Amino acid sequence: MRRPTDDSLFTRGLLIAITVGYIGLFLFLPLLTVFSSALAKGLQVALDALRDPDALSAVRLTLIVAAIAVPFNLAFGICAAWVVSKYDFRGKSLLISLIDLPFSVSPVVSGLIYVLMFGLQGWIGPWLRDHDIRIIFALPGIVLATIFVTFPFVARELIPLMTDQGRDEEEAAVSLGASGFQTFLRVTLPNIKWALLYGVLLCNARAMGEFGAVSVVSGHIRGLTNTMPLHVEVLYNDYQYVGAFAVASLLALLAIVTLVLKSLLEWRFADEIAATHRH
Amino acid sequence: MSLIAESLAKQFGNFPALKGVSFAAPTGAFVALLGPSGSGKTTLLRILGGLEFADTGRVSFENEDWLAKPARERRAGFVFQQYALFRHMTVEKNIAFGLNVRPRKQRPPRAEIARRVRDLLALVQLDDLGQRYPSQLSGGQRQRVALARALAIEPRMLLLDEPFGALDAKVRKDLRVWLKGLHEKLGLTTIFVTHDQDEALEMADTVAVLNEGRIEQIGAPKDLRSHPATPFVADFLGGTPATASVIALKPRTLG
Amino acid sequence: MSSVAIPSRFARLRNPSALPGFGLTLGFTLFYLSAIVLLPLTALLLKPWTMGWDGFVAAITEPRVLASLKLSFGGAAIAALVNAVFGLIVAWALTRYRFPGKRLFDALVDLPFALPTAVAGIALSALYAPNGWLGGPLSLLGVKIAFTPAGVIVALIFIGLPFVVRTLQPVIADMSEEAEEAAATLGATRWQTLRRVVLPALTPALVTGTGLAFARAVGEYGSLIFIAGNLPMKSEIAPLLIIIKLQQYDYTGAAAIGLVMLAASFVIILALNLFQSLLAARR
């Protein structure tokens, strides 16, 4: 006889079949398609596509953007989490809502707001043109848009964790004579290091893969302002499918590595990353 | 003897929770299963309730093969340690649940169900709290709702798993008295699990002391006190001065 | 003994905690937020009004704009509902059952979070195109997915699935089985237990997850433009129209649509928060 809280064999079988089918159909197949389409004409053709100068500069641009955006957002995330978890002040929940903002905004709108500020018809567009500073259609604009869409990641990982951890240890450190910075470095940082890593991982994955926002601000100038995702679009629209999927495969590999590392961190350090994600 | 259990054994993986437990109790008995954690008492209770399955052994209740029925059909009212009230239902809906899920033919009409719920609320002295949600009640109140809910199905036996474990001392004492009174009034065969020997010895008319999956001794409280059958029983019940002096006297009186 | 010069509540205002660094960290945080978020957002909030209220209304009631909004919102709603049903099943199976490969399937659920939307876009497009692995057999049955609104819905199902599943999983895992056991001892069948005890307990998380999936799907761009078809009035999503207007230097028109989408996002988030606090109050 089965336990009263077990579903019948039929139910279990059916639900598992649906689960496997749904995930297989909607998640696994698309992933598989990326790699198989890249290799459709053989490994050599795919590698040649990756060695193309435009592809290489797209890779370079992606790496540069991530290398700038992630550390900035790391600094912000730590500051914001520190402020929110170690102090009480009015307007805290407004602050937290603001931090969550980019998650609810369309990526295209995220890019739009920078065009409206810095674009030719934007608020300070004319001033920028007069001073020959290019933000939109250049690296700074891409970096800004990327920062916008990825800055919540680190903060959102740290805030619940640091709030849970409380202030006791830091207060003890201060009472023993440590400065604020020392307290952070010696007491807080070790307690949050895995959550920090987790947040940086997600932040980086999104920074490298962001498409919509960057698409709006970049101008799609081949070899200059195309990140990898944009280059994929350019190739695909040019009917260069193997090339597009080859670059896409690199991004898919990044996604897989991210997922593996993410799972590893969740598995080993579940408590320390407050893995019950609150959206 | 209407409840007879024979050689019940249960293993969880490699861990033997019950190693061959047999006992008997008459209809209307108030039995306490007493023992330290890990002794198998909760496992035994859950087997009686149909929430676990024994690997071997038999149970007959009022001449029926008790273990052959699934939990739904046993009508054994089970009261959980953490109450297990349905959070999203009011107190009234919780109590009425067992009646509402009956197949149409056996379901009483709505007015009847409402009346029974009211009577039960009065019985457990929670008359005006029917519309509240469990989260708005105290621990003691939730416990009484859980009891009322189990009683609503007119159970053939009542099974309680550490019913007062999560409550503070004063509430516990009051509820003990109250439950004992309820038992005298309703005369239901009641089996409850506890690790508190004062509770067991005070409330039950039959106490079974379990240790590491076996019943060390079963009998009336005063018999257990005056004639502990094994050192474990003597030790476990040895908290009160009466038993301590019994142990001191033992060699001479049994000599 | 001198008395304390500053009333304690004033001291708290200036230094809300014993820990140093309040001014610095709050200052940096606010500065960052203002520069990156608030200021640019203000540009969006103000731009559409340069054409006045009538201009604004005209801009967003253009047939092409309305069609694109309908597709973005409608497609998102349908995809969210599909994900609600199947996401519940998936979350249940992944949490309660054991089967070979479960860990792998569980990890796959996060794929839409990690995979760049452009990659998802071209993959889905290739998959459902008339000569694709799935598009081929489907076209034999007369079903067209790629380059139609159906393609948009399929892509949005991909995007939104993790929101529903990941919101439900911790709730299912936390549910103590005792409530289900209690229902069984009270005589309920398994189906009754699922319907009356389990499902109501899961409804808040289900609504939240579906709401989040919907909010995400409404603004989606990268995974849609390859599979959508992008025909004005038929299969053109709102974000694409924003980009097209920008390319035509119609900044105000683009901003108008952007504002509508931003407002919609706010309303959804607000509704979800309200829903959750209503629930919290009731319990």
Side-chain angles (χ1 to χ4, degrees):
Chain A
M1 220 184 335
R2 63 186 159 88
R3 294 181 45 206
T5 52
D6 286 341
D7 298 316
S8 70
L9 199 58
F10 172 73
T11 309
R12 257 181 292 167
L14 180 66
L15 295 192
I16 292 177
I18 292 179
T19 300
V20 167
Y22 201 69
I23 294 182
L25 179 66
F26 284 104
L27 299 176
F28 185 64
L29 267 188
L31 185 61
L32 202 58
T33 307
V34 173
F35 294 109
S36 83
S37 304
L39 299 171
K41 300 224 182 97
L43 184 59
Q44 199 50 43
V45 179
L47 288 177
D48 285 342
L50 291 175
R51 281 194 267 261
D52 174 77
D54 287 342
L56 286 176
S57 63
V59 172
R60 208 172 333 149
L61 183 61
T62 301
L63 290 174
I64 292 176
V65 169
I68 302 176
V70 173
F72 265 96
N73 286 334
L74 180 61
F76 170 78
I78 291 177
C79 264
W82 178 267
V83 145
V84 164
S85 59
K86 308 297 174 195
Y87 309 106
D88 293 315
F89 54 93
R90 289 178 47 184
K92 212 201 280 201
S93 41
L94 179 61
L95 186 62
I96 298 181
S97 309
L98 278 177
I99 293 177
D100 264 353
L101 195 59
F103 281 163
S104 35
V105 173
S106 165
V108 166
V109 173
S110 312
L112 175 66
I113 59 180
Y114 289 103
V115 172
L116 290 179
M117 269 220 22
F118 302 112
L120 279 180
Q121 283 184 37
W123 272 4
I124 60 178
W127 182 89
L128 290 171
R129 188 183 37 183
D130 293 340
H131 290 77
D132 213 23
I133 303 176
R134 307 193 73 196
I135 297 202
I136 304 299
F137 299 166
L139 180 66
I142 298 178
V143 170
L144 274 177
T146 305
I147 287 181
F148 179 89
V149 297
T150 57
F151 85 76
F153 281 103
V154 178
R156 276 167 51 95
E157 276 313 309
L158 291 180
I159 289 179
L161 181 65
M162 285 171 72
T163 311
D164 257 0
Q165 288 176 341
R167 309 169 194 170
D168 293 351
E169 292 186 36
E170 283 80 10
E171 286 177 347
V174 166
S175 73
L176 292 166
S179 73
F181 198 57
Q182 282 176 317
T183 305
F184 170 72
L185 221 51
R186 289 164 175 270
V187 175
T188 316
L189 201 52
N191 280 337
I192 59 173
K193 55 179 190 259
W194 298 117
L196 206 59
L197 192 57
Y198 191 81
V200 165
L201 195 64
L202 298 179
C203 183
N204 179 64
R206 183 70 192 273
M208 291 192 177
E210 178 51 34
F211 179 68
V214 176
S215 192
V216 175
V217 299
S218 91
H220 295 249
I221 305 174
R222 263 197 223 225
L224 271 186
T225 60
N226 271 339
T227 57
M228 282 167 75
L230 290 182
H231 196 59
V232 166
E233 181 191 24
V234 163
L235 289 176
Y236 194 82
N237 287 339
D238 259 2
Y239 304 102
Q240 294 185 50
Y241 295 130
V242 171
F245 279 104
V247 180
S249 297
L250 280 185
L251 290 170
L253 276 175
L254 172 68
I256 292 176
V257 167
T258 304
L259 281 183
V260 168
L261 287 176
K262 182 174 180 288
S263 300
L264 232 99
L265 282 175
E266 276 171 359
W267 178 48
R268 296 278 310 280
F269 303 108
D271 306 315
E272 286 144 59
I273 60 176
T276 51
H277 278 134
R278 286 151 246 188
H279 278 278
Chain B
M1 285 293 167
S2 61
L3 174 64
I4 305 176
E6 288 175 52
S7 313
L8 290 172
K10 170 88 187 157
Q11 270 203 317
F12 289 109
N14 279 332
F15 175 67
L18 287 178
K19 297 181 198 162
V21 161
S22 306
F23 70 94
T27 311
F30 199 151
V31 181
L33 301 178
L34 175 66
S37 16
S39 53
K41 52 195 198 296
T42 297
T43 307
L44 179 55
L45 194 78
R46 285 169 66 87
I47 289 177
L48 289 174
L51 302 172
E52 298 285 357
F53 302 113
D55 297 331
T56 55
R58 287 191 314 187
V59 175
S60 99
F61 182 62
E62 292 178 354
N63 287 319
E64 283 173 42
D65 183 358
W66 196 238
L67 299 184
K69 287 175 169 229
R72 299 186 36 229
E73 294 172 26
R74 292 193 194 185
R75 271 176 55 214
F78 203 103
V79 178
F80 293 79
Q81 189 171 3
Q82 306 285 348
Y83 324 129
L85 295 182
F86 304 131
R87 256 181 306 176
H88 57 284
M89 295 185 197
T90 59
V91 163
E92 280 174 0
K93 286 240 149 58
N94 260 279
I95 298 177
F97 184 83
L99 298 172
N100 282 331
V101 294
R102 284 199 190 158
R104 219 159 273 265
K105 292 202 193 85
Q106 296 164 28
R107 204 187 309 166
R110 245 201 279 173
E112 169 72 15
I113 295 183
R115 184 188 64 78
R116 289 211 214 172
V117 169
R118 265 198 310 272
D119 289 346
L120 283 164
L121 279 172
L123 182 66
V124 299
Q125 292 163 329
L126 291 175
D127 295 72
D128 296 322
L129 300 178
Q131 285 299 308
R132 299 261 186 102
Y133 284 89
S135 60
Q136 298 167 300
L137 302 176
S138 71
Q141 290 170 326
R142 286 183 214 171
Q143 191 53 284
R144 282 182 275 159
V145 173
L147 199 43
R149 184 178 67 175
L151 290 174
I153 59 173
E154 292 173 317
R156 303 168 65 189
M157 68 163 79
L158 204 52
L159 304 170
L160 305 117
D161 186 2
E162 309 246 16
F164 311 130
L167 305 170
D168 66 59
K170 169 103 189 8
V171 179
R172 223 182 309 180
K173 277 195 70 186
D174 292 339
L175 281 177
R176 266 194 235 170
V177 170
W178 177 79
L179 183 61
K180 180 90 184 161
L182 197 67
H183 172 256
E184 273 160 29
K185 188 163 162 187
L186 299 176
L188 269 181
T189 309
T190 304
I191 306 178
F192 79 101
V193 158
T194 179
H195 59 267
D196 179 345
Q197 85 261 29
D198 288 331
E199 198 164 271
L201 297 172
E202 247 182 60
M203 299 211 307
D205 50 51
T206 308
V207 175
V209 178
L210 280 95
N211 181 35
E212 291 189 354
R214 275 191 238 279
I215 293 187
E216 299 250 342
Q217 186 176 2
I218 178 166
K222 61 184 190 345
D223 290 337
L224 261 64
R225 262 197 225 155
S226 56
H227 297 96
T230 71
F232 175 81
V233 176
D235 212 35
F236 196 75
L237 301 180
T240 62
T243 44
S245 54
V246 163
I247 296 169
L249 285 170
K250 203 170 152 191
R252 260 181 275 158
T253 50
L254 292 183
Chain C
M1 232 186 312
S2 58
S3 53
V4 175
I6 307 171
S8 53
R9 65 178 189 277
F10 289 123
R12 269 188 78 70
L13 257 182
R14 256 191 277 155
N15 192 11
S17 152
L19 299 177
F22 180 64
L24 179 65
T25 48
L26 185 65
F28 181 65
T29 303
L30 288 179
F31 165 72
Y32 203 88
L33 273 176
S34 308
I36 303 281
V37 179
L38 292 177
L39 230 46
L41 264 187
T42 318
L44 175 62
L45 290 174
L46 293 181
K47 186 70 175 178
W49 309 115
T50 59
M51 42 183 186
W53 173 256
D54 291 328
F56 175 66
V57 172
I60 56 176
T61 49
E62 256 177 62
R64 190 175 176 190
V65 173
L66 284 179
S68 74
L69 288 172
K70 208 171 88 158
L71 180 59
S72 281
F73 282 87
I78 297 178
L81 286 173
V82 172
N83 272 329
V85 171
F86 286 93
L88 178 60
I89 294 177
V90 169
W92 185 262
L94 287 178
T95 317
R96 286 289 195 102
Y97 303 157
R98 280 194 314 249
F99 54 92
K102 182 175 97 152
R103 287 261 197 101
L104 179 64
F105 283 99
D106 194 47
L108 269 177
V109 169
D110 276 336
L111 188 65
F113 281 156
L115 194 66
T117 52
V119 175
I122 61 172
L124 288 167
S125 176
L127 202 52
Y128 289 97
N131 57 349
W133 287 354
L134 289 178
L138 282 173
S139 66
L140 288 177
L141 297 169
V143 176
K144 276 188 68 179
I145 303 260
F147 316 129
T148 68
V152 168
I153 295 175
V154 166
L156 291 179
I157 291 177
F158 172 90
I159 291 292
L161 180 62
F163 289 93
V164 177
V165 175
R166 292 308 191 215
T167 312
L168 279 172
Q169 274 180 306
V171 178
I172 296 178
D174 268 354
M175 255 178 27
S176 106
E177 292 196 1
E178 281 193 349
E180 295 167 62
E181 289 179 339
T185 60
L186 293 167
T189 62
R190 184 67 185 146
W191 175 240
Q192 283 174 318
T193 306
L194 288 173
R195 192 164 52 90
R196 289 168 175 263
V197 177
V198 172
L199 205 52
L202 293 180
T203 299
L206 188 57
V207 170
T208 304
T210 308
L212 290 172
F214 176 69
R216 172 86 170 82
V218 161
E220 179 56 26
Y221 172 71
S223 51
L224 296 182
I225 52 166
F226 300 99
I227 198 176
N230 305 328
L231 295 170
M233 300 295 297
K234 277 226 232 123
S235 48
E236 187 179 53
I237 54 174
L240 178 59
L241 193 49
I242 293 181
I243 291 190
I244 290 178
K245 283 194 182 270
L246 277 179
Q247 286 169 347
Q248 296 168 342
Y249 296 106
D250 179 7
Y251 277 29
T252 37
I257 306 178
L259 189 54
V260 169
M261 301 205 66
L262 190 65
S265 306
F266 275 143
V267 167
I268 297 171
I269 299 295
L270 213 68
L272 280 180
N273 282 338
L274 218 77
F275 176 70
Q276 285 182 325
S277 47
L278 258 173
L279 277 181
R282 217 177 77 136
R283 308 236 161 169

